[in-house]
Amino acid sequence: MATRAPERADAAPPRRPAGKRRPTGRHWRHAVDVKASPYAYVAPFFLLFCAFGLFPIGYTLWVSLHEWTLLDDEHTFLGLENFRVLLTDSYFWNATYNTLSIGILSMVPQLLLALWLAHLLNRPLRAQNFFRITLLLPNVTSVVAVVVIFSQIFGRDFGLINWVITSFGGEGIAWRDASLSSHLAISTMIMWRWTGYNALILLAAMQAVPRELYEAATIDGASSFTQLRKVTVPMIRPTIAFVVITSTIGSMQIFAEPLLFGAYTLTGGQDRQYQTLSLFFYENYMRLDFGYSSAISWMIFVFILIIAGVNYLLTSRMKGNLR
């Protein structure tokens, strides 16, 4: 009969069953680092955004609810009275119309021209980098220099455009005196500055389109314009939506072009024919009516939110159609 050998006193203790191990200090520090470090990296941005973004927006809303002027020590609470007066102000709706008119006149041709330029630069060309860099030159040029030059081009007496018109027997146009002519002149300045910038954004999206699609379209006999319409545009729809929304938001904030075009006239002409929302806001701000000007800025903010919401819906629908 076999007997069991006696256990040794120095035998190793039995191993713990497999499962969750008790976290040591090293593992705990590693888990905290993995989970907390991303928040620490982005924290400076959010702190600056709260200090210089959210706080000014909230404080502007608080000011818009008061009768707030720099000359008074006490600020009377008015509630939504500033907004009620603003919605019945004909100057506000005139500035809104001018802003939308200039925005549409500048944005639609600008995006079409940017799409065409991006399509040309997406094809094999000599000195491609030179042409791409050239597209950014109008954007980095000082807006003051741009407006001064274009103001001379659209001059009534000695402007280049009127000289060409009168050379063909036409009559010179007083570009600053009428709504349509002033809107066209300001829209031309905006187009010249931002067309190249938007073209580079669209070009970056076109670079991601698979080349096999263009090769298949070429084999099928599709022309360059057909490839642009049938292949390129459907593939870069989200980027086109992004360019549209950024251009629309920029058009809601047009300020320097009409201000300099009117020789620093805050009213945008004698009849306010090209006064934008930003000019209307600045006019009331210079009158030290901070409550009313804050209400104007919040209405601009609401318009931008509405446009951003519409863009989100359109972008979501486009992504759904592409799937």
Side-chain angles (χ1 to χ4, degrees):
M1 177 176 171
T3 59
R4 184 176 181 181
E7 295 183 357
R8 296 178 56 185
D10 57 348
R15 300 182 62 181
R16 297 179 59 184
K20 291 186 177 181
R21 294 183 178 180
R22 180 178 297 177
T24 62
R26 181 179 178 182
H27 291 87
W28 182 82
R29 287 193 300 270
H30 176 72
V32 172
D33 180 67
V34 170
K35 295 182 179 180
S37 58
Y39 297 98
Y41 294 146
V42 300
F45 166 78
F46 285 102
L47 291 176
L48 292 175
F49 176 72
C50 292
F52 300 101
L54 292 181
F55 175 74
I57 292 175
Y59 190 72
T60 303
L61 178 61
W62 173 254
V63 173
S64 67
L65 303 177
H66 294 77
E67 185 181 357
W68 198 299
T69 60
L70 189 62
L71 303 178
D72 297 333
D73 295 333
E74 296 183 358
H75 309 299
T76 307
F77 181 78
L78 300 177
L80 299 178
E81 180 65 18
N82 284 328
F83 291 94
R84 187 193 66 81
V85 176
L86 181 63
L87 294 177
T88 58
D89 191 346
S90 60
Y91 290 160
F92 169 73
W93 292 112
N94 174 72
T96 302
Y97 166 76
N98 293 335
T99 303
L100 293 177
S101 176
I102 295 173
I104 293 174
L105 289 175
S106 62
M107 185 177 63
V108 176
Q110 174 191 156
L111 295 179
L112 293 177
L113 183 59
L115 184 63
W116 178 68
L117 289 174
H119 178 65
L120 292 180
L121 293 177
N122 194 37
R123 303 175 62 185
L125 294 174
R126 293 183 179 179
Q128 281 188 345
N129 292 332
F130 171 76
F131 290 111
R132 293 173 183 177
I133 295 174
T134 306
L135 289 178
L136 277 179
L137 291 180
N139 185 250
V140 301
T141 305
S142 173
V143 63
V144 177
V146 172
V147 177
V148 168
I149 294 174
F150 275 90
S151 296
Q152 298 297 323
I153 294 176
F154 288 98
R156 183 183 62 181
D157 298 325
F158 305 102
L160 177 62
I161 303 297
N162 280 348
W163 177 78
V164 173
I165 294 176
T166 54
S167 299
F168 288 93
E171 186 177 355
I173 302 174
W175 294 96
R176 291 179 174 85
D177 296 344
S179 296
L180 180 59
S181 58
S182 60
H183 292 183
L184 288 174
I186 296 173
S187 300
T188 304
M189 304 176 197
I190 299 172
M191 288 173 54
W192 189 84
R193 284 196 67 207
W194 294 103
T195 298
Y197 176 81
N198 291 325
L200 289 181
I201 295 178
L202 295 174
L203 177 62
M206 292 180 183
Q207 294 290 315
V209 178
R211 291 294 172 183
E212 293 79 5
L213 299 178
Y214 294 108
E215 294 175 359
T218 303
I219 294 175
D220 292 339
S223 62
S224 177
F225 178 74
T226 303
Q227 293 180 17
L228 173 64
R229 186 167 54 92
K230 296 291 187 179
V231 178
T232 305
V233 172
M235 294 298 295
I236 64 171
R237 282 179 180 175
T239 305
I240 293 176
F242 170 78
V243 172
V244 169
I245 189 60
T246 53
S247 300
T248 306
I249 292 176
S251 66
M252 296 296 297
Q253 302 172 346
I254 298 172
F255 176 75
E257 288 84 359
L259 177 64
L260 298 174
F261 183 70
Y264 296 94
T265 303
L266 296 181
T267 57
Q270 296 180 353
D271 298 328
R272 300 177 180 266
Q273 60 268 23
Y274 53 89
Q275 185 186 46
T276 60
L277 285 172
S278 297
L279 273 182
F280 183 60
F281 158 78
Y282 192 62
E283 178 189 6
N284 287 273
Y285 179 82
M286 293 303 294
R287 293 176 180 174
L288 305 181
D289 192 354
F290 296 158
Y292 196 64
S293 59
S294 297
I296 297 171
S297 65
W298 254 89
M299 288 303 300
I300 299 175
F301 180 66
V302 170
F303 289 157
I304 293 176
L305 286 181
I306 294 174
I307 294 172
V310 173
N311 174 74
Y312 175 78
L313 295 177
L314 292 177
T315 305
S316 300
R317 182 172 299 181
M318 289 178 181
K319 289 181 179 179
N321 292 335
L322 291 175
R323 291 177 181 176

